[in-house]
Amino acid sequence: MDMIDPFGRTISYLRVSVTDRCDFRCTYCMAEDMTFLPKKDLLSLEELDRLCTVFIEKGVKKLRLTGGEPLVRKNIMHLVHQLSRHLDSGALEELTLTTNGSQLSRFAAELADCGVKRINVSLDTLDAEKFHQITRWGNLRKVMEGIDAAQKAGLKIKLNAVALRDFNDAEIPELMRWAHGRGMDLTLIETMPMGEIEADRTDQYLPLSILRASLERQFTLADIPYKTGGPARYAHVAETGGRLGFITPMTHNFCESCNRVRLTCTGTLYMCLGQEDAADLRAPLRASEGNELLDAAIDEAIGRKPKGHDFIIDRRTSRPSVSRHMSVTGG
Ligand code: SAM
């Protein structure tokens, strides 16, 4: 039986945050001094596999591993190997991940061997100094080596860049030319008010409608119906021959076509990235060796998937719309 929510949307896409830890501290994502979950609270890789398998049996066709940084979870490739059996059986259409790229040179070839075809790499700037500034701990050279290794292994890459006012807005044309020149799509993302950070989000927030208008003074953008199963809307760029995606949770949320739910590394299911409501799947997972309790808990959760989110960023609203950081549920 497919999972269908109260608004008639079929849920076919699961994002799994395998760890809340990360080797970067991007200023718009995390506070510098983050408290992470105690390791004992994490689901084991076997438990994550069991949960993912139940979702696949219930109609999930696309599974994305995220975090935190998914490639810093100990033995993560064991989980990827396990999950790849669902690609082999045809039950799962796509297994993919979102990564900051720092560990890709170690794992790219093995990911490709497991049947991963495409990955998203987050990269907000090509300037090594600014990269260090925005990620606090990151090293651009390592990410570039990771991208090289991934392309060499045959993985298709989509770059994701969060558009940040007065930080990378002027650099987007260069980032786009670079990405398209290397055969990668580039998707721009609006910053979302998730979790307390040191910076003021009002200062960082750049509506993509404004950025797009400015890009259109230099480039010819034509909207295209291309879809990858996520929330991005794409345009073809005549001058580069590449695709530019827009993820606009703030200015246009596209919740009406949402097909996703998100599982955290503690077994909490969020039915919407932008809402606090969640369902605990760890208790039913651990209460029985059979999957009946889990199945019922998932059905109950899907039955209360909300219509959409309502993020607000303005000077009157100092608190984030959602208290958890993006690293809890991942992108
Ligand atoms: N570590 C991996 C990575 O860097 O891609 C996966 C997790 S990271 C939380 C996923 C994506 O969320 C990244 O592209 C990151 O830039 C983005 N992100 C983090 N915080 C965000 C926020 N508050 N608003 C919008 N995007 C955010």
Side-chain angles (χ1 to χ4, degrees), residues 22 24 26 28-30 66-70 98-101 120-124 160-162 189-194 201 326-327 330-331:
C22 188
F24 291 2
C26 298
Y28 53 82
C29 181
M30 290 187 179
T66 176
E69 171 48 43
T98 304
T99 173
N100 63 25
N120 289 357
V121 178
S122 304
L123 181 64
D124 301 323
N160 282 338
V162 176
I189 307 174
E190 285 174 339
T191 182
M192 290 174 272
M194 300 185 64
R201 292 199 193 271
M326 186 77 176
S327 50

Side-chain angles (χ1 to χ4, degrees), residues 8-273:
R9 297 169 296 192
T10 300
I11 309 306
S12 55
Y13 187 172
L14 177 68
R15 295 194 179 186
V16 185
S17 174
V18 295
T19 175
D20 63 333
R21 290 168 197 251
C22 188
D23 51 348
F24 291 2
R25 290 287 180 281
C26 298
T27 57
Y28 53 82
C29 181
M30 290 187 179
E32 184 153 26
D33 180 21
M34 290 284 288
T35 309
F36 293 108
L37 292 162
K39 293 225 169 81
K40 65 171 177 42
D41 288 357
L42 262 56
L43 295 185
S44 67
L45 295 175
E46 286 67 29
E47 287 175 321
L48 281 171
D49 177 50
R50 188 175 146 206
L51 264 175
C52 290
T53 301
V54 171
F55 273 99
I56 292 165
E57 285 165 359
K58 292 176 79 63
V60 159
K61 298 278 177 242
K62 175 166 175 171
L63 202 150
R64 177 178 298 280
L65 303 182
T66 176
E69 171 48 43
L71 296 179
V72 302
R73 169 95 195 231
K74 199 166 167 207
N75 290 334
I76 184 63
M77 290 311 300
H78 175 70
L79 179 63
V80 179
H81 276 283
Q82 287 298 110
L83 291 173
S84 71
R85 72 187 184 282
H86 299 299
L87 290 173
D88 297 340
S89 76
L92 190 63
E93 287 167 8
E94 184 170 35
L95 175 61
T96 182
L97 82 162
T98 304
T99 173
N100 63 25
S102 69
Q103 311 296 315
L104 264 182
S105 45
R106 270 168 73 200
F107 293 120
E110 206 175 340
L111 285 168
D113 284 348
C114 289
V116 173
K117 300 247 179 306
R118 298 185 311 143
I119 56 173
N120 289 357
V121 178
S122 304
L123 181 64
D124 301 323
T125 175
L126 291 173
D127 178 313
E129 194 52 41
K130 283 169 77 176
F131 184 81
H132 183 66
Q133 184 190 331
I134 199 77
T135 60
R136 288 190 181 112
W137 296 2
N139 177 342
L140 182 63
R141 190 179 44 77
K142 276 183 77 180
V143 174
M144 290 299 174
E145 287 168 6
I147 289 175
D148 290 342
Q151 289 198 311
K152 197 160 158 239
L155 296 174
K156 275 196 82 65
I157 297 181
K158 177 167 78 87
L159 285 190
N160 282 338
V162 176
L164 298 163
R165 187 142 56 103
D166 297 333
F167 177 74
N168 61 1
D169 37 354
E171 206 197 318
I172 299 300
E174 186 194 343
L175 192 58
M176 184 171 76
R177 283 195 197 93
W178 181 79
H180 291 175
R182 292 192 52 154
M184 301 184 274
D185 292 344
L186 170 68
T187 293
L188 305 173
I189 307 174
E190 285 174 339
T191 182
M192 290 174 272
M194 300 185 64
E196 295 282 357
I197 54 169
E198 289 87 357
D200 182 342
R201 292 199 193 271
T202 327
D203 292 339
Q204 296 182 325
Y205 173 52
L206 174 62
L208 288 186
S209 45
I210 294 178
L211 183 53
R212 178 169 176 151
S214 133
L215 289 172
E216 282 181 329
R217 288 198 279 277
Q218 291 181 58
F219 298 98
T220 318
L221 305 188
D223 289 333
I224 49 172
Y226 177 71
K227 299 286 287 164
T228 61
R233 297 297 179 272
Y234 286 89
H236 178 263
V237 184
E239 289 75 6
T240 60
R243 276 187 294 251
L244 181 64
F246 296 88
I247 299 184
T248 51
M250 306 301 299
T251 52
H252 188 160
N253 66 29
F254 297 110
C255 297
E256 65 278 6
S257 56
C258 183
N259 57 354
R260 297 175 287 289
V261 288
R262 295 158 194 274
L263 184 68
T264 73
C265 56
T266 54
T268 302
L269 187 73
Y270 285 94
M271 287 71 82
C272 172
L273 179 66

